[in-house]
Amino acid sequence: MKSIVTIIQCRMGSARLPGKALKLVATRPILTLLVERLHRSKRHGQLVLATTHLAEDDAIADFGRNAGVTVIRGPEYDVLAR
């Protein structure tokens, strides 16, 4: 049994590149590529996607649930609380 939890922190409201997590790279969202690579890792156990309660991050939460990843939502400016 693996006890390592991998947490992906992401949100759509980036100041430098808004929507980066779901931007397409070679026809696939960046978040898809990351999740697939993490699933192939032999070191991680549970995979968790942490995002905010903001409506703009609903797409990230939906993505996580559809990908079978645990989704945790919390405050925008308190990353640790997520």
Side-chain angles (χ1 to χ4, degrees):
M1 178 178 204
K2 298 177 184 176
S3 60
I4 296 173
V5 176
T6 303
I7 301 171
I8 302 170
Q9 295 270 3
C10 72
R11 60 190 183 89
M12 296 296 280
S14 169
R16 291 179 289 173
L17 185 58
K20 174 175 54 180
L22 298 179
K23 294 268 187 211
L24 299 181
V25 173
T27 71
R28 300 173 67 203
I30 292 171
L31 196 50
T32 297
L33 300 172
L34 178 60
V35 168
E36 287 176 354
R37 287 181 182 196
L38 287 170
H39 277 306
R40 288 194 305 251
S41 169
K42 294 177 181 160
R43 293 199 164 242
H44 88 83
Q46 183 180 8
L47 188 56
V48 176
L49 180 58
T51 192
T52 74
H53 288 299
L54 297 177
E56 66 186 19
D57 291 326
D58 288 348
I60 290 175
D62 291 341
F63 168 89
R65 285 189 285 274
N66 290 335
V69 176
T70 301
V71 176
I72 303 292
R73 299 186 81 169
E76 178 182 13
Y77 294 109
D78 189 353
V79 177
L80 189 56
R82 285 186 240 150

Coordinates of all heavy atoms in Angstrom, one line a residue:
M1 N 0.8 -1.2 0.0 CA 0.0 0.0 0.0 C 0.9 1.2 0.0 O 1.8 1.4 0.8 CB -0.9 0.0 1.2 CG -1.8 1.2 1.3 SD -2.8 1.0 2.8 CE -4.1 2.1 2.3
K2 N 0.6 2.2 -0.9 CA 1.4 3.4 -1.0 C 0.7 4.5 -0.2 O -0.4 4.7 -0.3 CB 1.5 3.8 -2.5 CG 2.2 2.8 -3.3 CD 2.2 3.2 -4.8 CE 2.9 2.1 -5.6 NZ 2.8 2.3 -7.0
S3 N 1.6 5.2 0.6 CA 1.0 6.2 1.4 C 1.3 7.7 0.9 O 1.0 8.6 1.6 CB 1.5 6.1 2.8 OG 2.9 6.2 2.8
I4 N 2.0 7.8 -0.2 CA 2.3 9.1 -0.8 C 1.1 9.7 -1.5 O 0.5 9.0 -2.3 CB 3.5 9.0 -1.8 CG1 4.7 8.5 -1.0 CG2 3.7 10.3 -2.4 CD1 5.9 8.2 -1.9
V5 N 0.7 10.9 -1.1 CA -0.4 11.6 -1.7 C 0.3 12.7 -2.6 O 1.1 13.5 -2.1 CB -1.3 12.2 -0.7 CG1 -2.4 13.1 -1.4 CG2 -1.9 11.1 0.2
T6 N -0.1 12.8 -3.8 CA 0.4 13.8 -4.8 C -0.7 14.8 -4.9 O -1.9 14.5 -5.3 CB 0.7 13.2 -6.1 OG1 1.7 12.2 -5.9 CG2 1.3 14.3 -7.1
I7 N -0.4 16.1 -4.6 CA -1.4 17.2 -4.8 C -1.0 18.1 -5.9 O 0.1 18.6 -6.0 CB -1.5 18.0 -3.5 CG1 -1.8 17.1 -2.3 CG2 -2.5 19.1 -3.6 CD1 -1.7 17.7 -0.9
I8 N -2.0 18.2 -6.8 CA -1.8 19.2 -7.9 C -2.6 20.4 -7.6 O -3.8 20.4 -7.4 CB -2.4 18.6 -9.3 CG1 -1.7 17.3 -9.6 CG2 -2.2 19.7 -10.4 CD1 -2.4 16.6 -10.8
Q9 N -1.9 21.5 -7.4 CA -2.5 22.8 -7.1 C -2.7 23.5 -8.4 O -1.8 23.8 -9.1 CB -1.6 23.7 -6.2 CG -1.4 23.1 -4.9 CD -2.4 23.6 -3.9 OE1 -3.3 24.3 -4.1 NE2 -2.2 23.2 -2.6
C10 N -4.0 23.9 -8.8 CA -4.1 24.7 -10.0 C -5.4 25.5 -9.9 O -6.4 25.1 -9.2 CB -4.1 23.8 -11.2 SG -5.5 22.7 -11.4
R11 N -5.4 26.5 -10.7 CA -6.6 27.4 -10.8 C -6.6 28.0 -12.2 O -5.5 28.1 -12.8 CB -6.7 28.4 -9.7 CG -5.5 29.3 -9.6 CD -5.5 30.1 -8.4 NE -4.4 31.1 -8.4 CZ -4.4 32.3 -8.9 NH1 -5.5 32.8 -9.4 NH2 -3.3 33.1 -8.8
M12 N -7.7 28.5 -12.6 CA -7.8 29.2 -13.9 C -7.4 30.6 -13.9 O -7.1 31.2 -15.0 CB -9.2 29.1 -14.5 CG -9.7 27.6 -14.7 SD -8.8 26.8 -15.9 CE -9.6 27.5 -17.4
G13 N -7.3 31.3 -12.8 CA -7.1 32.7 -12.7 C -5.6 33.1 -12.6 O -5.3 34.1 -12.0
S14 N -4.7 32.5 -13.3 CA -3.3 32.9 -13.3 C -3.2 34.3 -13.9 O -3.8 34.6 -14.9 CB -2.5 31.9 -14.1 OG -1.2 32.3 -14.4
A15 N -2.3 35.1 -13.3 CA -2.1 36.4 -13.8 C -1.3 36.4 -15.1 O -1.6 37.2 -16.0 CB -1.4 37.3 -12.7
R16 N -0.3 35.6 -15.2 CA 0.5 35.6 -16.4 C -0.1 34.8 -17.6 O 0.1 35.2 -18.7 CB 1.9 35.0 -16.1 CG 2.7 36.0 -15.2 CD 4.0 35.4 -14.9 NE 3.8 34.2 -14.0 CZ 4.7 33.4 -13.6 NH1 5.9 33.6 -14.0 NH2 4.5 32.5 -12.7
L17 N -0.8 33.7 -17.3 CA -1.4 32.9 -18.4 C -2.7 32.3 -17.9 O -2.8 31.2 -17.5 CB -0.5 31.8 -18.8 CG -0.9 31.0 -20.0 CD1 -1.2 31.8 -21.3 CD2 0.1 29.9 -20.4
P18 N -3.8 33.1 -17.9 CA -5.1 32.6 -17.4 C -5.6 31.4 -18.2 O -5.4 31.3 -19.4 CB -6.0 33.8 -17.7 CG -5.2 35.0 -17.8 CD -3.9 34.5 -18.4
G19 N -6.1 30.4 -17.5 CA -6.6 29.2 -18.1 C -5.5 28.2 -18.5 O -5.8 27.2 -19.2
K20 N -4.3 28.4 -18.0 CA -3.1 27.6 -18.3 C -3.4 26.1 -18.2 O -3.0 25.3 -19.0 CB -1.9 28.0 -17.5 CG -0.7 27.1 -17.7 CD 0.5 27.7 -17.0 CE 0.2 27.9 -15.5 NZ 1.4 28.4 -14.8
A21 N -4.0 25.7 -17.1 CA -4.2 24.3 -16.8 C -5.0 23.5 -17.9 O -4.8 22.3 -18.1 CB -4.9 24.1 -15.4
L22 N -5.9 24.2 -18.5 CA -6.7 23.6 -19.6 C -6.3 24.0 -21.0 O -7.0 23.7 -21.9 CB -8.2 23.8 -19.3 CG -8.7 23.2 -18.0 CD1 -10.1 23.5 -17.8 CD2 -8.4 21.7 -17.9
K23 N -5.2 24.7 -21.1 CA -4.7 25.1 -22.5 C -4.3 23.8 -23.2 O -3.8 22.9 -22.6 CB -3.5 26.1 -22.4 CG -3.8 27.4 -21.8 CD -4.2 28.4 -22.9 CE -4.3 29.8 -22.3 NZ -5.3 30.6 -23.0
L24 N -4.4 23.8 -24.5 CA -4.1 22.7 -25.3 C -2.6 22.6 -25.6 O -2.1 23.6 -26.1 CB -4.9 22.6 -26.5 CG -6.5 22.5 -26.3 CD1 -7.2 22.4 -27.7 CD2 -6.8 21.3 -25.5
V25 N -2.0 21.4 -25.5 CA -0.7 21.2 -26.0 C -0.8 19.9 -26.8 O -1.2 18.9 -26.3 CB 0.3 20.9 -24.8 CG1 1.6 20.5 -25.4 CG2 0.5 22.2 -24.0
A26 N -0.6 20.0 -28.1 CA -0.7 18.9 -29.0 C -2.1 18.3 -28.9 O -2.3 17.1 -28.8 CB 0.4 17.8 -28.8
T27 N -3.1 19.1 -28.9 CA -4.5 18.8 -28.9 C -5.1 18.3 -27.6 O -6.2 17.9 -27.5 CB -4.9 17.8 -30.0 OG1 -4.4 16.5 -29.7 CG2 -4.4 18.3 -31.4
R28 N -4.3 18.3 -26.5 CA -4.7 17.8 -25.2 C -4.4 18.9 -24.1 O -3.4 19.5 -24.1 CB -4.0 16.5 -24.9 CG -4.3 15.5 -26.0 CD -3.6 14.2 -25.9 NE -4.0 13.5 -24.7 CZ -3.2 12.6 -24.1 NH1 -2.0 12.3 -24.5 NH2 -3.7 12.0 -23.0
P29 N -5.3 19.0 -23.2 CA -5.1 19.9 -22.1 C -3.8 19.6 -21.3 O -3.5 18.4 -21.0 CB -6.3 19.8 -21.2 CG -7.4 19.2 -22.1 CD -6.6 18.3 -23.1
I30 N -3.1 20.6 -20.8 CA -1.9 20.4 -20.0 C -2.2 19.5 -18.8 O -1.5 18.6 -18.4 CB -1.3 21.7 -19.6 CG1 -0.8 22.5 -20.8 CG2 -0.3 21.6 -18.5 CD1 -0.4 23.9 -20.5
L31 N -3.4 19.8 -18.2 CA -3.7 19.0 -17.0 C -3.9 17.5 -17.3 O -3.5 16.7 -16.5 CB -5.0 19.6 -16.3 CG -5.3 19.2 -14.9 CD1 -4.1 19.4 -14.0 CD2 -6.5 20.0 -14.4
T32 N -4.4 17.2 -18.4 CA -4.5 15.8 -18.8 C -3.2 15.1 -18.9 O -3.0 14.0 -18.4 CB -5.2 15.7 -20.2 OG1 -6.5 16.2 -20.1 CG2 -5.3 14.2 -20.7
L33 N -2.2 15.8 -19.5 CA -0.9 15.3 -19.7 C -0.2 15.1 -18.3 O 0.4 14.0 -18.1 CB 0.0 16.2 -20.5 CG -0.5 16.5 -21.9 CD1 0.3 17.6 -22.6 CD2 -0.4 15.2 -22.8
L34 N -0.4 16.0 -17.4 CA 0.2 15.9 -16.1 C -0.4 14.7 -15.3 O 0.3 13.9 -14.7 CB 0.0 17.2 -15.3 CG 0.4 17.2 -13.8 CD1 1.9 16.9 -13.8 CD2 0.1 18.5 -13.2
V35 N -1.8 14.6 -15.3 CA -2.5 13.5 -14.6 C -2.0 12.2 -15.2 O -1.8 11.2 -14.4 CB -4.0 13.7 -14.6 CG1 -4.7 12.4 -14.2 CG2 -4.4 14.9 -13.8
E36 N -2.0 12.0 -16.5 CA -1.6 10.8 -17.1 C -0.1 10.4 -16.7 O 0.1 9.2 -16.4 CB -1.7 10.8 -18.6 CG -3.1 10.8 -19.1 CD -3.3 10.9 -20.6 OE1 -2.3 11.2 -21.3 OE2 -4.4 10.8 -21.0
R37 N 0.7 11.3 -16.6 CA 2.1 11.1 -16.2 C 2.2 10.7 -14.8 O 3.0 9.8 -14.4 CB 3.0 12.2 -16.5 CG 3.3 12.4 -18.0 CD 4.2 13.6 -18.3 NE 4.3 13.7 -19.7 CZ 5.3 14.4 -20.3 NH1 6.2 15.0 -19.6 NH2 5.4 14.4 -21.6
L38 N 1.5 11.3 -13.9 CA 1.5 11.0 -12.5 C 0.9 9.6 -12.3 O 1.4 8.9 -11.4 CB 0.7 12.0 -11.7 CG 1.5 13.4 -11.6 CD1 0.6 14.4 -11.0 CD2 2.7 13.2 -10.7
H39 N -0.1 9.2 -13.0 CA -0.7 7.9 -12.9 C 0.3 6.8 -13.3 O 0.2 5.7 -12.7 CB -2.0 7.7 -13.7 CG -3.2 8.3 -13.1 ND1 -3.6 7.9 -11.8 CD2 -4.1 9.1 -13.5 CE1 -4.7 8.5 -11.5 NE2 -5.1 9.3 -12.5
R40 N 1.2 7.1 -14.2 CA 2.2 6.1 -14.6 C 3.3 6.0 -13.5 O 4.1 5.0 -13.6 CB 2.8 6.5 -15.9 CG 1.9 6.3 -17.1 CD 2.6 6.3 -18.4 NE 3.3 7.6 -18.6 CZ 3.0 8.5 -19.5 NH1 1.9 8.4 -20.2 NH2 3.7 9.6 -19.6
S41 N 3.4 7.0 -12.6 CA 4.5 6.9 -11.6 C 4.3 5.8 -10.7 O 3.2 5.5 -10.3 CB 4.5 8.3 -10.8 OG 5.3 8.1 -9.7
K42 N 5.4 5.2 -10.3 CA 5.3 4.1 -9.4 C 5.4 4.5 -7.9 O 5.3 3.8 -7.0 CB 6.4 3.1 -9.6 CG 6.3 2.4 -11.0 CD 7.4 1.5 -11.3 CE 7.2 0.9 -12.7 NZ 8.4 0.4 -13.3
R43 N 5.6 5.8 -7.7 CA 5.8 6.4 -6.4 C 4.6 6.9 -5.7 O 4.5 7.0 -4.5 CB 6.9 7.4 -6.4 CG 8.2 6.9 -6.7 CD 9.3 7.8 -6.3 NE 10.6 7.1 -6.3 CZ 11.3 6.9 -5.2 NH1 10.9 7.4 -4.1 NH2 12.4 6.3 -5.3
H44 N 3.7 7.4 -6.5 CA 2.5 8.1 -5.8 C 1.4 7.1 -5.5 O 1.3 6.1 -6.2 CB 2.0 9.2 -6.7 CG 0.9 8.8 -7.7 ND1 -0.4 8.7 -7.4 CD2 1.0 8.5 -9.0 CE1 -1.1 8.4 -8.4 NE2 -0.2 8.2 -9.4
G45 N 0.6 7.4 -4.5 CA -0.5 6.6 -4.2 C -1.8 7.3 -4.6 O -2.2 7.2 -5.8
Q46 N -2.3 8.2 -3.8 CA -3.5 8.9 -4.1 C -3.2 10.2 -4.8 O -2.2 10.9 -4.5 CB -4.3 9.2 -2.9 CG -5.6 9.9 -3.1 CD -6.4 10.3 -1.9 OE1 -5.9 10.1 -0.8 NE2 -7.6 10.7 -2.0
L47 N -4.0 10.6 -5.8 CA -3.8 11.8 -6.6 C -4.9 12.7 -6.2 O -6.1 12.3 -6.3 CB -3.8 11.5 -8.1 CG -3.4 12.6 -9.0 CD1 -2.1 13.2 -8.7 CD2 -3.4 12.1 -10.5
V48 N -4.6 14.0 -5.8 CA -5.6 15.0 -5.4 C -5.4 16.2 -6.2 O -4.3 16.7 -6.4 CB -5.4 15.3 -3.9 CG1 -6.4 16.4 -3.5 CG2 -5.6 14.1 -3.0
L49 N -6.5 16.8 -6.7 CA -6.5 18.0 -7.4 C -7.1 19.1 -6.5 O -8.2 19.0 -6.1 CB -7.3 17.9 -8.7 CG -7.4 19.1 -9.6 CD1 -6.1 19.5 -10.1 CD2 -8.3 18.7 -10.8
A50 N -6.3 20.1 -6.2 CA -6.7 21.2 -5.3 C -6.9 22.5 -6.1 O -6.1 22.9 -6.8 CB -5.7 21.4 -4.2
T51 N -8.1 23.1 -6.0 CA -8.4 24.3 -6.7 C -9.3 25.2 -5.7 O -9.6 24.8 -4.6 CB -9.1 24.0 -8.0 OG1 -9.1 25.2 -8.8 CG2 -10.5 23.4 -7.9
T52 N -9.8 26.3 -6.3 CA -10.6 27.2 -5.5 C -12.1 27.0 -5.6 O -12.5 26.2 -6.4 CB -10.3 28.7 -5.9 OG1 -10.9 28.9 -7.1 CG2 -8.8 28.9 -6.0
H53 N -12.8 27.7 -4.7 CA -14.3 27.7 -4.8 C -14.8 28.5 -5.9 O -16.0 28.6 -6.1 CB -14.9 28.1 -3.4 CG -14.7 27.2 -2.3 ND1 -15.2 25.9 -2.3 CD2 -14.0 27.3 -1.1 CE1 -14.9 25.3 -1.2 NE2 -14.2 26.1 -0.4
L54 N -14.0 29.3 -6.6 CA -14.5 30.3 -7.6 C -15.1 29.5 -8.7 O -14.7 28.5 -9.1 CB -13.3 31.1 -8.1 CG -12.6 32.0 -7.1 CD1 -11.4 32.7 -7.7 CD2 -13.5 33.0 -6.5
A55 N -16.1 30.2 -9.3 CA -16.9 29.6 -10.4 C -15.9 29.4 -11.6 O -16.1 28.4 -12.4 CB -18.0 30.5 -10.8
E56 N -14.9 30.2 -11.8 CA -14.0 30.0 -12.9 C -13.2 28.7 -12.8 O -12.7 28.2 -13.8 CB -13.0 31.2 -13.1 CG -12.1 31.3 -11.9 CD -11.2 32.6 -12.0 OE1 -11.6 33.5 -12.7 OE2 -10.2 32.7 -11.4
D57 N -13.1 28.1 -11.6 CA -12.4 26.9 -11.4 C -13.3 25.7 -11.5 O -12.9 24.5 -11.2 CB -11.6 26.9 -10.1 CG -10.5 27.9 -10.2 OD1 -9.9 28.0 -11.3 OD2 -10.2 28.6 -9.2
D58 N -14.6 25.9 -11.8 CA -15.5 24.7 -11.9 C -15.0 23.8 -13.0 O -15.2 22.6 -12.9 CB -16.9 25.2 -12.2 CG -17.6 25.9 -11.1 OD1 -17.1 25.8 -9.9 OD2 -18.7 26.5 -11.3
A59 N -14.5 24.3 -14.1 CA -14.0 23.5 -15.2 C -12.8 22.6 -14.7 O -12.8 21.4 -15.1 CB -13.5 24.3 -16.3
I60 N -12.0 23.1 -13.8 CA -10.9 22.2 -13.3 C -11.5 21.1 -12.4 O -11.1 20.0 -12.4 CB -9.9 23.1 -12.5 CG1 -9.1 24.0 -13.5 CG2 -9.0 22.2 -11.7 CD1 -8.2 24.9 -12.8
A61 N -12.5 21.5 -11.5 CA -13.1 20.5 -10.6 C -13.8 19.4 -11.5 O -13.7 18.2 -11.2 CB -14.1 21.2 -9.7
D62 N -14.5 19.8 -12.5 CA -15.2 18.9 -13.4 C -14.2 18.0 -14.1 O -14.4 16.8 -14.2 CB -16.0 19.6 -14.5 CG -17.2 20.3 -13.9 OD1 -17.6 20.0 -12.7 OD2 -17.7 21.2 -14.5
F63 N -13.1 18.5 -14.5 CA -12.0 17.7 -15.1 C -11.5 16.7 -14.2 O -11.4 15.5 -14.5 CB -10.8 18.6 -15.6 CG -9.6 17.8 -15.9 CD1 -9.5 17.4 -17.3 CD2 -8.7 17.4 -15.0 CE1 -8.4 16.6 -17.6 CE2 -7.6 16.7 -15.3 CZ -7.4 16.3 -16.6
G64 N -11.2 17.1 -12.9 CA -10.7 16.1 -12.0 C -11.7 15.0 -11.7 O -11.3 13.8 -11.6
R65 N -12.9 15.3 -11.5 CA -13.9 14.3 -11.2 C -14.1 13.4 -12.4 O -14.2 12.1 -12.2 CB -15.3 14.9 -10.9 CG -15.3 15.5 -9.5 CD -16.7 15.9 -9.1 NE -17.1 17.2 -9.7 CZ -16.9 18.4 -9.2 NH1 -16.2 18.5 -8.1 NH2 -17.3 19.4 -9.9
N66 N -14.0 13.9 -13.6 CA -14.1 13.0 -14.8 C -12.9 12.2 -15.0 O -13.0 11.1 -15.6 CB -14.4 13.9 -16.1 CG -15.7 14.5 -16.1 OD1 -16.7 14.0 -15.5 ND2 -15.9 15.7 -16.8
A67 N -11.8 12.6 -14.5 CA -10.5 11.9 -14.6 C -10.3 10.9 -13.5 O -9.3 10.2 -13.4 CB -9.3 12.8 -14.7
G68 N -11.3 10.9 -12.5 CA -11.2 9.9 -11.4 C -10.2 10.4 -10.3 O -9.7 9.6 -9.6
V69 N -10.0 11.7 -10.3 CA -9.1 12.3 -9.3 C -9.9 12.9 -8.2 O -10.9 13.5 -8.4 CB -8.2 13.3 -10.0 CG1 -7.3 14.0 -9.0 CG2 -7.4 12.7 -11.1
T70 N -9.4 12.8 -6.9 CA -10.0 13.4 -5.8 C -9.9 14.9 -6.0 O -8.8 15.4 -6.2 CB -9.4 13.0 -4.5 OG1 -9.5 11.6 -4.4 CG2 -10.0 13.6 -3.3
V71 N -11.0 15.7 -5.8 CA -11.0 17.1 -5.9 C -11.2 17.8 -4.6 O -12.2 17.4 -3.9 CB -12.0 17.6 -7.0 CG1 -12.1 19.1 -7.1 CG2 -11.7 17.0 -8.3
I72 N -10.4 18.7 -4.2 CA -10.5 19.5 -3.0 C -10.6 20.9 -3.4 O -9.8 21.4 -4.2 CB -9.3 19.3 -2.0 CG1 -9.1 17.8 -1.7 CG2 -9.5 20.2 -0.8 CD1 -10.2 17.2 -0.8
R73 N -11.6 21.7 -2.9 CA -11.8 23.1 -3.2 C -11.7 23.9 -1.9 O -12.1 23.5 -0.9 CB -13.1 23.3 -3.9 CG -13.2 22.5 -5.2 CD -14.4 22.8 -6.0 NE -14.2 24.1 -6.7 CZ -15.0 24.5 -7.7 NH1 -16.0 23.8 -8.0 NH2 -14.7 25.6 -8.3
G74 N -11.0 25.1 -2.1 CA -10.8 25.9 -0.9 C -10.7 27.4 -1.3 O -10.9 27.7 -2.5
P75 N -10.2 28.2 -0.4 CA -10.1 29.6 -0.7 C -9.1 30.0 -1.7 O -8.1 29.3 -1.8 CB -9.7 30.2 0.7 CG -9.5 29.1 1.6 CD -9.8 27.9 1.0
E76 N -9.3 31.1 -2.4 CA -8.4 31.5 -3.5 C -7.0 31.8 -3.0 O -6.0 31.5 -3.6 CB -9.0 32.6 -4.3 CG -8.1 33.1 -5.4 CD -8.7 34.3 -6.1 OE1 -9.7 34.9 -5.7 OE2 -8.2 34.7 -7.2
Y77 N -6.9 32.6 -1.9 CA -5.7 33.2 -1.5 C -5.0 32.4 -0.4 O -4.0 32.8 0.2 CB -5.9 34.6 -1.1 CG -6.2 35.5 -2.3 CD1 -7.5 36.0 -2.4 CD2 -5.3 35.7 -3.3 CE1 -7.8 36.8 -3.5 CE2 -5.6 36.5 -4.4 CZ -6.9 37.0 -4.5 OH -7.2 37.8 -5.6
D78 N -5.6 31.3 0.0 CA -5.0 30.4 1.1 C -4.7 29.0 0.5 O -5.5 28.1 0.7 CB -5.9 30.4 2.3 CG -5.2 29.7 3.5 OD1 -4.1 29.2 3.4 OD2 -5.8 29.8 4.6
V79 N -3.6 28.9 -0.2 CA -3.2 27.7 -0.8 C -3.1 26.5 0.2 O -3.6 25.4 -0.1 CB -1.9 27.8 -1.6 CG1 -1.5 26.5 -2.3 CG2 -2.1 28.9 -2.7
L80 N -2.6 26.8 1.3 CA -2.4 25.7 2.3 C -3.8 25.2 2.8 O -3.9 24.0 3.1 CB -1.6 26.3 3.5 CG -1.2 25.3 4.6 CD1 -0.4 24.1 3.9 CD2 -0.4 25.9 5.6
A81 N -4.8 26.0 2.8 CA -6.1 25.6 3.3 C -6.7 24.6 2.3 O -7.6 23.9 2.6 CB -7.0 26.8 3.5
R82 N -6.3 24.7 1.0 CA -6.9 23.8 0.0 C -6.3 22.5 0.2 O -6.7 21.5 -0.1 CB -6.5 24.3 -1.4 CG -7.3 25.5 -1.8 CD -7.0 25.8 -3.3 NE -6.5 27.2 -3.3 CZ -5.7 27.6 -4.2 NH1 -5.2 26.8 -5.1 NH2 -5.3 28.9 -4.2

